[in-house]
Amino acid sequence: MSHRLTVLPNGFRIVTEAMPGLASAAVGIWVEAGARHETAELNGVAHFLEHMAFKGTHRRSALDIAEAIEDVGGFINAYTSREMTAYYARVLEADVPLALDILSDILLHSTFEPREIEVERGVILQEIGQSLDTPDDVIFDWLQEAAYPAQPIGRSILGGSEQVGRFGRDDLRRFVAGHYGPGRMILAAAGAVDHDAIVAQARAAFGGLPALEVPGMVPARFASGERREVRDLEQAHFALAFEAPAFRDDDYYTAQVFATALGGGMSSRLFQSLREERGLCYTIFAQHGAYADTGLITLYAGTGEAELPELAALTIDELRRAADTLSEAEVARARAQMKAGLLMGLEGPSARAERLARVLSIWGRVPDVTEAVAQIEAVEVPAVRSFARGLCSAGRAALALYGPVGDAPDLVALSRRLAA
């Protein structure tokens, strides 16, 4: 399978990958505008806008949009991240033109009716309330804020109730006008797709948009911060983060392998040591997440109040030991997990379209999957150990705690133990 890429004169990008033998396709438009592009006063507006895209256009009501896609057995959805907003659909081959017509309609012709804004405001406020009632969700927002305080990248994607309560039609329109330029949009499609037909339809819909000068993102600055919320909950939630490579950094895959070996599965060090051998928790993992100019290695565990101090200390100890004793077998297993996850995850058209948009946004091109596999295979034990030693010696981390966490060690104590 190979991709095709067309860039319209105004900068709008169209990338497709035909997957022979499939009867369906995934098509979507990824906009390089997310929570990180908001001001503090408009925190949450990108997510609000994503919701409003389905609330009606000049041609279709909200019900018309839902019925049009479901009449042909398809589905349509969207999501907002810190650096991107995506609108996507999955349909049968014959209905790709319909899906693209609906997507272009909601992106270009949403009316943002005041009544619909009020309805959706209530929905989003309920979503914010639900997230606050879900400790193992909200703790990652608090960890992000502790790692990047007073910065766009550190703010919640949903925004705060106060900000969301103020948004109006003009706020939505200004965000679209300031960030939804053609040079910040990628139309990606995979499966049973015809590149030339999609380009022709996209040119008709988006080709006339004027090029837009879009402001850059505020650079991320990692800080060692702590947020502790003592609540009467059944579980104590512990999340620790270290600054890690960004998408385009040379040691991006080294960080991925390290996080996988440390806490990426049932055979990982954290899982085996803290859950299987000591029974200190039910859930524990490590992961690496990247952005355009920064990244985070995140460690999370949910445990009991009595077990938290020991769990926190042993988590630091396992991190330090990994810097000296990670074995070839552990690194090889992590590489295998990553390769399998990558390749198996790309067997469907939705994942293929997502990858096309993301890698094109990050690197300005679409590298073959074999390139990523080769980079994973090239990660060796010395590089992973060296990366771990760098985390330990830097001694800089961010910490979030939620629940019965009054007796948990603070960030200063954990940082000292890490650097000891």
Side-chain angles (χ1 to χ4, degrees):
M1 290 177 279
S2 59
H3 74 278
R4 294 181 63 187
L5 172 64
T6 298
V7 182
L8 301 184
N10 63 359
F12 188 89
R13 290 157 286 178
I14 305 143
V15 59
T16 68
E17 184 171 357
M19 302 172 69
L22 293 191
S24 65
V27 57
I29 297 173
W30 279 258
V31 185
E32 295 168 330
R36 191 174 177 182
H37 299 86
E38 301 164 345
T39 63
E41 295 74 19
L42 292 181
N43 180 211
V45 72
H47 175 255
F48 203 119
L49 180 63
E50 170 222 315
H51 276 241
M52 288 304 302
F54 299 99
K55 302 300 287 185
T57 71
H58 295 295
R59 294 166 49 201
R60 295 179 171 98
S61 67
L63 180 60
D64 291 336
I65 293 169
E67 289 182 340
I69 200 75
E70 292 183 0
D71 280 350
V72 298
F75 71 82
I76 191 168
N77 210 336
Y79 68 81
T80 306
S81 69
R82 287 188 165 83
E83 295 184 337
M84 191 171 284
T85 305
Y87 307 83
Y88 57 92
R90 178 79 183 273
V91 291
L92 296 176
E93 179 178 9
D95 301 310
V96 169
L98 171 66
L100 184 50
D101 180 62
I102 294 173
L103 289 170
S104 61
D105 193 23
I106 65 177
L107 273 166
L108 299 175
H109 306 299
S110 285
T111 53
F112 306 135
E113 291 295 332
R115 178 187 174 280
E116 295 293 349
I117 289 175
E118 292 308 315
V119 170
E120 210 57 27
R121 190 193 318 280
V123 171
I124 295 171
L125 289 173
Q126 291 292 329
E127 186 177 0
I128 293 171
Q130 180 176 304
S131 73
L132 293 174
D133 286 340
T134 311
D136 51 355
D137 283 347
V138 73
I139 195 169
F140 293 106
D141 276 345
W142 293 349
L143 183 66
Q144 189 85 10
E145 183 181 11
Y148 304 102
Q151 301 171 58
I153 195 172
R155 299 184 193 121
S156 164
I157 292 170
L158 298 181
S161 298
E162 183 179 349
Q163 290 95 328
V164 170
R166 293 196 302 260
F167 293 153
R169 175 189 275 182
D170 289 345
D171 296 314
L172 300 175
R173 286 178 169 171
R174 276 196 295 269
F175 192 81
V176 170
H179 296 90
Y180 274 53
R184 303 296 295 272
M185 294 183 182
I186 298 172
L187 192 166
V193 296
D194 180 327
H195 182 80
D196 294 331
I198 288 176
V199 169
Q201 190 175 353
R203 181 178 285 113
F206 297 96
L209 291 177
L212 179 65
E213 186 99 19
V214 177
M217 296 182 295
V218 176
R221 303 180 313 280
F222 182 87
S224 294
E226 176 179 336
R227 178 161 180 177
R228 180 185 304 243
E229 295 283 339
V230 178
R231 298 285 177 88
D232 185 17
L233 303 176
E234 288 294 323
Q235 283 245 297
H237 299 269
F238 168 85
L240 189 68
F242 303 87
E243 188 172 23
F247 278 121
R248 290 183 287 269
D249 289 351
D250 291 340
D251 52 356
Y252 169 82
Y253 286 104
T254 302
Q256 294 268 308
V257 170
F258 169 72
T260 302
L262 182 67
M266 293 174 62
S267 64
S268 68
R269 289 204 166 196
L270 290 177
F271 193 95
Q272 284 296 310
S273 175
L274 278 72
R275 173 179 159 149
E276 295 296 277
E277 295 176 15
R278 294 178 173 86
L280 290 174
C281 58
Y282 177 73
T283 300
I284 188 165
F285 62 80
Q287 62 186 14
H288 171 230
Y291 300 100
D293 60 348
T294 188
L296 290 176
I297 294 281
T298 300
L299 286 64
Y300 167 82
T303 188
E305 178 179 7
E307 290 79 14
L308 180 56
E310 182 181 6
L311 180 141
L314 290 176
T315 296
I316 296 297
D317 292 348
E318 285 299 330
L319 178 58
R320 291 176 57 210
R321 275 195 286 270
D324 296 321
T325 63
L326 267 177
S327 68
E328 176 56 45
E330 289 175 292
V331 171
R333 187 182 303 119
R335 290 196 302 256
Q337 286 178 262
M338 290 176 59
K339 288 185 292 183
L342 171 64
L343 296 174
M344 289 191 289
L346 292 177
E347 292 183 345
S350 295
R352 286 273 175 173
E354 173 92 20
R355 176 183 179 271
L356 291 172
R358 286 191 173 276
V359 298
L360 183 59
S361 176
I362 294 165
W363 288 292
R365 63 186 184 92
V366 180
D368 191 83
V369 175
T370 57
E371 185 175 323
V373 170
Q375 289 175 299
I376 293 169
E377 290 177 336
V379 177
E380 300 290 348
V381 172
V384 181
R385 288 186 179 180
S386 176
F387 176 81
R389 283 193 294 272
L391 289 184
C392 295
S393 62
R396 299 180 68 240
L399 176 66
L401 297 159
Y402 188 38
V405 295
D407 295 330
D410 62 15
L411 183 60
V412 173
L414 292 177
S415 296
R416 286 175 179 161
R417 190 179 188 100
L418 181 67

